[in-house]
Amino acid sequence: MRIQVEHLSWGVPGKTIVNGVDLVVGDGETVGLIGPNGSGKSSLLRCIAGLRTPTGGVVRYDGADIASWSAREKARQLAFVEQTADTDSDLRVSEVVMLGRTAHRSRWRGPDAADHEVVAAALDRLGLTALADRPWKQLSGGERQRTHLARALAQRTSALLLDEPTNHLDVRHQLELMELASSTPQTVVVALHDLALAARYCDRLVLMHGGTVVADGPAADVLTAPLLRAVFDVEAEIGRDSLGHLAVGYREPVR
Ligand SMILES: Nc1ncnc2c1ncn2[C@@H]1O[C@H](COP(=O)(O)OP(=O)(O)OP(=O)(O)O)[C@@H](O)[C@H]1O
């Protein structure tokens, strides 16, 4: 699934929040969206997910304008895990994940064996099998986040949009989640604050600032000291760790 964002703008009265963004994400590619707080990453993701109506431009999936899709069609084509994803509190973990199957069956039919198989596989993929029967409201923040990812996987879509999917996760689960995002055949757009994690697992990084894309390319081209200074207002040193991964160190802020 190829995602094409053309001259996309979105805002609220008096404020342009996403400003003329062009972005192409190739089939199966994992693209990391980075940028400071308020730079427009979540707003752009919500437009790409079809949850916001752009004030200008268009979002295409394999050439089709997402504006022409019903909610059900969107749920069959793309899965979106938002930063503050929440769920009705009385559900059990497996029932939350089963919500991902809703768009795949008729309104009149309950989950069948195939749906249960997909849910079991998604729970297993996120290491949640032992929590399947636990009430959602008892879960920790990281367990909830993994449950929402399992729900998104259970949608079995060609595109996966993730907004800060690692913010509640411990190191082990961060690595596993990013490994999943980079190895899945799905087309992935993921907003991240951890630049080293983004560099390690994404095929390409897109750096946003003030609602626009200011750099788009391989991590080594985007994570440069001058660009990080201009966009994040930090003095960064970019190097390689002993495993060969890009490492980013920061000097103390000088005011
Ligand atoms: N519905 C809205 N009404 C008014 N302002 C909004 C609305 N949605 C977003 N904004 C503003 O738009 C800007 C971009 O927000 P957005 O959430 O897209 O940024 P972000 O890059 O995802 O930030 P963060 O890293 O903090 O999650 C922010 O200044 C935010 O306050």
Side-chain angles (χ1 to χ4, degrees):
M1 175 76 85
R2 183 173 196 259
I3 303 175
Q4 224 172 323
V5 175
E6 298 168 3
H7 315 307
L8 191 89
S9 295
W10 177 78
V12 290
K15 188 175 180 188
T16 301
I17 293 169
V18 176
N19 195 356
V21 166
D22 287 297
L23 175 64
V24 176
V25 187
D27 186 31
E29 206 177 7
T30 298
V31 164
L33 267 188
I34 56 171
N37 292 141
S39 54
K41 304 179 297 296
S42 299
S43 302
L44 175 60
L45 275 176
R46 289 179 69 83
C47 290
I48 296 175
L51 297 177
R52 298 262 191 241
T53 305
T55 48
V58 62
V59 177
R60 296 184 195 281
Y61 285 76
D62 279 348
D65 181 348
I66 193 173
S68 69
W69 285 352
S70 65
R72 189 176 171 85
E73 185 62 17
K74 284 178 202 165
R76 286 172 177 234
Q77 302 290 349
L78 66 98
F80 183 28
V81 179
E82 295 208 67
Q83 222 177 102
T84 51
D86 220 337
T87 297
D88 284 347
S89 57
D90 286 338
L91 296 179
R92 292 179 185 278
V93 170
S94 59
E95 292 169 328
V96 174
V97 178
M98 187 61 83
L99 293 175
R101 302 303 301 156
T102 310
H104 291 280
R105 52 173 201 264
S106 78
R107 220 164 287 169
W108 324 114
R109 172 172 83 67
D112 63 13
D115 291 319
H116 284 291
E117 241 172 66
V118 170
V119 168
L123 287 167
D124 181 56
R125 189 72 178 82
L126 272 302
L128 291 166
T129 305
L131 300 182
D133 293 327
R134 286 268 298 279
W136 159 262
K137 59 185 158 195
Q138 285 181 8
L139 298 187
S140 73
E143 290 164 349
R144 287 180 186 204
Q145 200 158 26
R146 280 157 50 213
T147 303
H148 275 298
L149 283 155
R151 193 256 308 145
L153 284 192
Q155 276 180 251
R156 293 279 169 101
T157 56
S158 307
L160 188 56
L161 309 174
L162 306 173
D163 196 354
E164 276 294 316
T166 58
N167 62 354
H168 287 291
L169 301 186
D170 62 49
V171 170
R172 166 89 196 197
H173 286 113
Q174 286 185 27
L175 296 173
E176 284 183 358
L177 185 274
M178 289 308 297
E179 174 66 36
L180 186 161
S182 71
S183 64
T184 177
Q186 293 165 292
T187 304
V188 179
V189 186
V190 51
L192 289 165
H193 279 297
D194 185 328
L195 302 182
L197 205 61
R200 178 165 168 179
Y201 288 102
C202 296
D203 299 314
R204 233 170 75 219
L205 297 186
V206 170
L207 175 59
M208 291 194 71
H209 189 35
T212 65
V213 170
V214 294
D216 178 346
D221 295 349
V222 174
L223 300 182
T224 65
L227 263 177
L228 296 184
R229 183 183 306 119
V231 170
F232 289 95
D233 191 23
V234 293
E235 292 302 323
E237 288 193 15
I238 322 292
R240 297 267 168 194
D241 65 18
S242 60
L243 299 174
H245 302 304
L246 219 67
V248 190
Y250 304 100
R251 300 211 185 102
E252 295 289 320
V254 180
R255 291 282 163 214

